[in-house]
Amino acid sequence: MTSYLLERALLAGAAHDNVLVDVVDGRFASVEVGVLASAAERVPGLTLPGLANTHSHAFHRALRGRTQRGRGTFWTWREQMYAVAERLDPDTYLALATATFREMVAAGITSVGEFHYLHHQPDGRPYDDPNAMGIALLEAASVAGLRITLLDTVYLSSGFGAPPEGAQRRYDDGSVQDWIERIAALPSTESALVSGALHSVRALPEAPAAALDPLAEWAHGRPLHVHLSEQVAENDGCLAAYGASPTRLLADHGVLGPLTSAVHATHLSDDDISLLGEARAFVSFCPTTERDLGDGVGPSRRLAEAGARLTLGSDSHAVVDLFEEMRAVELDERLVTQQRGHWQAAELVRAATVSGHASLGWHDAGEIAVGRRADLVTIDTVSTRTAGTGADEHTAVFAAVAEDVTRTMVDGRIVFRQGEREEIGRALAQAIGKVHT
């Protein structure tokens, strides 16, 4: 057993002083509030449950600072992303993903949902091991020390039935059944869960039922993530091809449910919002990416009021900072409505912790409570950003940034300590340099 006396900690979204936690076999064995004296290691600062990054494309980290040059749209950005996708192999992907996941751990992230579609060789032929790229991601997460849900992704079309082309050829398995057979060989462990995703309705074949029906059957009882209505053009194309909105199409084929995560969910009709709410679906908002790409601002509060559950992701890794993602949800709503106070800080902490982990299949994480996985993230409460802010949930949401994290624990193991960022930066520079040479 290992014991820690947390100077201040968030329990159920509220701050408490002097919280003693005992950790046994990677879980909290006891949690006691108001302990004035203890031989346990004292942890200064504000400690939160581990954060969950529900939407990541690890290879996009190689795009930061490069795709922001000049004018353009999501679609011009996509061409730059494809250029990076074409150059990766299992070795360079392992190095890049390891460094990216280490950046996440340094930002307090203890679980990641990796939306993975770089399956095959650039010409579309499988590697000798058809899961070589996915295995690289699983190994990277293990080395970095965080849990991963590998969201292996179905991608069958370049757009509403058109065949994949260019970099997209390496995404395509040919059919949902071939995809199911391939991912059956990927192992799940205590710290790695293999589940699935549909890239988007754009990636469906001409007859969408051929993919959606078997996918819905496979996904029963499993997390299933999907990019949904990120762009107005996606909605228009879906209506033209299939006679329905993306949300309605998924609902009609049984894809929406309480383990479905709709990623972005930006451009929704009233009917779409009702469908997602009635399904109790998760909605993964990625505000720093959505503003970087000019996607728009999704209706987060309306979705929550309808019954959907908010989670947060860093997506393209324009930044890796779940504190920024939390506050951006509220601040973006303020810009749209010209009013303040749409989200309480405790609600946003829940989105980044317990709801996020649950959407990735980790239902036993995200809370500092007996029996839960022992994930702890401590932030400095006397930095130039956090000093004098109250050392509570409002500090975490409206003041802190990733660089305020002083240490991160995952399943009872300390995987990041203050002072390691410089070395992580060097690893990122080296891995990204190899991608661009």
Side-chain angles (χ1 to χ4, degrees):
M1 182 177 73
T2 307
S3 300
Y4 302 93
L5 183 59
L6 311 178
E7 178 182 70
R8 196 155 167 83
L10 292 187
L11 306 179
H16 298 268
D17 291 325
N18 301 312
V19 177
L20 179 66
V21 297
D22 295 327
V23 177
V24 177
D25 294 332
R27 294 181 181 269
F28 294 116
S30 68
V31 177
E32 186 177 354
V33 177
V35 176
L36 298 180
S38 171
E41 178 184 348
R42 187 169 184 85
V43 181
L46 175 65
T47 299
L48 291 70
L51 306 178
N53 184 354
T54 61
H55 191 66
S56 162
H57 303 286
F59 77 94
H60 288 192
R61 179 60 180 84
L63 298 169
R64 187 188 298 176
R66 298 171 183 269
T67 60
Q68 286 81 6
R69 304 169 188 179
R71 295 178 64 86
T73 66
F74 167 86
W75 307 101
T76 54
W77 168 87
R78 189 176 72 159
E79 294 305 313
Q80 295 171 292
M81 180 267 288
Y82 283 165
V84 170
E86 287 184 313
R87 290 196 288 269
L88 288 164
D89 59 37
D91 290 336
T92 54
Y93 206 13
L94 173 61
L96 176 59
T98 300
T100 302
F101 291 157
R102 291 185 68 198
E103 182 180 4
M104 291 185 196
V105 167
I109 293 165
T110 59
S111 292
V112 62
E114 182 60 31
F115 202 101
H116 166 55
Y117 50 81
L118 295 185
H119 301 139
H120 307 301
Q121 297 182 65
D123 62 2
R125 290 181 299 121
Y127 287 99
D128 290 340
D129 181 341
N131 288 305
M133 296 292 272
I135 289 170
L137 290 166
L138 295 173
E139 183 178 347
S142 177
V143 172
L146 81 171
R147 287 187 302 276
I148 184 171
T149 300
L150 184 67
L151 298 163
D152 201 288
T153 303
V154 173
Y155 192 108
L156 305 174
S157 168
S158 65
F160 305 104
E165 56 188 24
Q168 298 163 346
R169 288 193 294 267
R170 71 185 312 180
Y171 309 166
D172 181 21
D173 281 301
S175 71
V176 170
Q177 187 56 46
D178 289 338
W179 170 80
I180 290 172
E181 292 176 3
R182 176 177 59 76
I183 68 169
L186 283 165
S188 289
T189 68
E190 276 294 305
S191 58
L193 177 65
V194 176
S195 200
L198 171 65
H199 180 273
S200 60
V201 296
R202 290 184 286 110
L204 289 171
E206 186 174 0
L212 290 177
D213 292 350
L215 182 60
E217 182 180 357
W218 176 89
H220 184 70
R222 297 183 174 103
L224 182 71
H225 290 222
V226 55
H227 292 133
L228 186 73
S229 292
E230 182 178 3
Q231 296 288 323
V232 172
E234 175 186 321
N235 290 350
D236 293 344
C238 188
L239 183 63
Y242 306 131
S245 73
T247 305
R248 172 57 68 180
L249 182 69
L250 298 180
D252 286 350
H253 288 275
V255 174
L256 294 187
L259 288 178
T260 305
S261 285
V263 181
H264 302 303
T266 306
H267 302 284
L268 303 177
S269 67
D270 292 346
D271 182 58
D272 295 336
I273 293 171
S274 295
L275 289 170
L276 289 164
E278 290 165 4
R280 293 282 295 151
F282 294 100
V283 287
S284 175
F285 272 46
C286 309
T288 63
T289 290
E290 289 148 9
R291 70 190 182 200
D292 180 55
L293 299 182
D295 288 344
V297 178
S300 62
R301 190 71 251 178
R302 289 186 62 202
L303 281 160
E305 290 170 352
R309 292 165 290 169
L310 178 68
T311 71
L312 299 165
S314 64
D315 192 3
S316 70
H317 313 313
V319 299
V320 173
D321 189 339
L322 266 288
F323 302 101
E324 174 62 23
E325 306 292 351
M326 279 190 272
R327 66 175 152 267
V329 171
E330 165 63 18
L331 298 183
D332 287 354
E333 286 272 10
R334 294 180 185 184
L335 287 174
V336 170
T337 64
Q338 300 179 54
Q339 293 182 336
R340 305 175 71 193
H342 301 273
W343 288 91
Q344 297 299 309
E347 292 180 292
L348 294 169
V349 170
R350 183 173 181 84
T353 56
V354 64
S355 294
H357 291 288
S359 77
L360 299 176
W362 304 107
H363 301 281
D364 53 356
E367 297 176 289
I368 303 175
V370 173
R372 299 290 185 172
R373 289 175 179 264
D375 294 356
L376 296 174
V377 176
T378 302
I379 58 176
D380 185 357
T381 53
V382 291
S383 77
T384 54
R385 293 164 292 271
T386 61
T389 61
D392 58 13
E393 65 273 21
H394 301 91
T395 295
V397 174
F398 293 109
V401 300
E403 288 75 20
D404 291 318
V405 172
T406 58
R407 75 177 190 176
T408 303
M409 175 186 291
V410 180
D411 289 339
R413 295 182 301 110
I414 297 174
V415 296
F416 169 76
R417 294 180 185 273
Q418 193 172 29
E420 296 176 5
R421 285 192 175 85
E422 184 175 344
E423 193 277 323
I424 294 172
R426 288 195 296 268
L428 280 163
Q430 184 177 20
I432 294 168
K434 289 181 179 179
V435 173
H436 290 288
T437 54

